[in-house]
Amino acid sequence: MKKAKIRIYTDIVFDKGSVISLGEAQSHYLCNVMKVTKGDEVLCFNNRDGEFLCRIEKADKRHAELLLIQKTKAFVPSPDVWLMFAPLKKDQTDFVIQKATELGARRIMPVITQFCITDKVKKERFIAQAIEAAEQSRRVDIPEISEAVSLPKVLQNWDNERKLFFMDETGGGNEICEVFAADKGKKAAILVGPEGGFAPEELDLLRKMEAAKAVSLGPRILRAETAVAAALACWQAIAGDWSAK
Ligand code: SAH
């Protein structure tokens, strides 16, 4: 099997001809785990300048250095769709962060709802998961991970320019293709409820919002993490960057 080039994210700003000094954790990863040596090539991106081919100049286990050689990808941000989801158990939450990143969500926002199993959000863990998924999926940006916020609060401050598509498991939602196609080109957010579903008062609140639209994901009830992947995939195919304009 052909080995894919190692791809890493750094928050260091790239300047032409610059040398990137990596911190201890990444130096350890490259030198001890991935066993790179001086002269090897890796790809590097920084969430603002695109992706660059780099050569390892110094393979020091504590302090590796990369030399930028050539730009390999321009910086193109992911489409303007947010994923809002109610935190789940650890493995399912990890899945949500990984898949939302692979599926090109620009921002990921944990939203605390009445039937959420937890309101504890490990933001650092979310960021680490998102970076790993962005490296693997060849994104040139990293999704922004928001602080957890309660559903009423996020709705209170909602910007009506952004459509809020909430996945409604009660059967009252509109057909997904039609809804997404009707608002193609607009800023979007996809909201998925917790395993326990939305509370009736939450659905009332959502239904009253100008920017919100109830969406159906078909006749079967999906696990929340499946609903996240299904909704984002449909949005990317219909209104996002899976199709030419
Ligand atoms: N406990 C609920 C199911 C919740 S599923 C029940 O038994 O009815 C978790 C979340 O996934 C829901 O809140 C919804 O946002 C989404 N979801 C799952 N299946 C769906 C469907 N068929 N249509 C729309 N949304 C769905």
Side-chain angles (χ1 to χ4, degrees):
M1 202 173 86
K2 187 169 164 270
K3 237 175 114 198
K5 258 208 180 67
I6 297 169
R7 207 172 171 271
I8 57 168
Y9 163 74
T10 167
D11 56 10
I12 298 168
V13 174
F14 300 158
D15 293 312
K16 206 168 182 298
S18 63
V19 172
I20 302 168
S21 299
L22 298 177
E24 204 165 327
Q26 263 182 332
S27 301
H28 164 78
Y29 169 75
L30 279 180
C31 301
N32 293 336
V33 183
M34 300 311 287
K35 311 274 182 217
V36 301
T37 50
K38 188 171 182 308
D40 285 352
E41 290 182 343
V42 300
L43 295 168
C44 198
F45 66 106
N46 66 352
N47 202 21
R48 51 163 282 172
D49 299 313
E51 177 196 85
F52 284 78
L53 179 67
C54 303
R55 198 169 49 229
I56 308 280
E57 286 293 281
K58 196 164 148 197
D60 185 313
K61 291 172 176 139
R62 293 238 193 107
H63 173 206
E65 278 181 7
L66 312 178
L67 177 70
L68 292 191
I69 299 175
Q70 185 194 338
K71 192 167 190 161
T72 41
K73 258 187 192 177
F75 180 76
V76 179
S78 293
D80 198 354
V81 60
W82 298 356
L83 172 70
M84 300 163 67
F85 80 107
L88 304 160
K89 288 191 202 124
K90 184 167 145 281
D91 287 353
Q92 281 88 339
T93 298
D94 287 353
F95 180 94
V96 164
I97 304 292
Q98 288 160 14
K99 302 307 150 195
T101 306
E102 287 170 44
L103 288 163
R106 190 181 287 189
R107 184 172 181 187
I108 299 175
M109 186 188 289
V111 175
I112 309 304
T113 66
Q114 280 189 39
F115 300 153
C116 250
I117 54 155
T118 176
D119 58 3
K120 305 263 175 305
V121 169
K122 297 202 170 91
K123 192 175 171 190
E124 292 311 313
R125 185 182 171 86
F126 284 21
I127 294 172
Q129 296 274 350
I131 289 176
E132 206 179 308
E135 289 173 341
Q136 173 271 326
S137 63
R138 308 198 194 158
R139 276 178 73 141
V140 287
D141 63 341
I142 300 286
E144 182 188 335
I145 307 287
S146 307
E147 295 296 335
V149 52
S150 79
L151 183 63
K153 193 159 176 210
V154 76
L155 299 186
Q156 212 172 38
N157 303 317
W158 195 259
D159 158 21
N160 280 329
E161 297 284 297
R162 183 176 297 278
K163 293 288 164 194
L164 173 54
F165 301 110
F166 65 100
M167 301 303 123
D168 181 354
E169 75 275 9
T170 65
N174 302 292
E175 207 196 297
I176 195 159
C177 294
E178 282 175 18
V179 188
F180 286 168
D183 286 316
K184 194 172 168 167
K186 299 199 182 125
K187 296 189 284 186
I190 285 170
L191 170 65
V192 174
E195 278 317 321
F198 290 112
E201 311 87 83
E202 292 174 332
L203 288 169
D204 285 347
L205 211 59
L206 283 161
R207 290 187 182 121
K208 284 195 202 114
M209 282 186 57
E210 190 188 320
K213 282 189 178 174
V215 176
S216 164
L217 287 166
R220 289 164 294 277
I221 295 295
L222 309 177
R223 301 288 295 259
E225 66 274 24
T226 315
V228 164
L232 274 171
C234 288
W235 189 87
Q236 289 291 12
I238 297 163
D241 62 6
W242 285 12
S243 56
K245 291 294 160 273

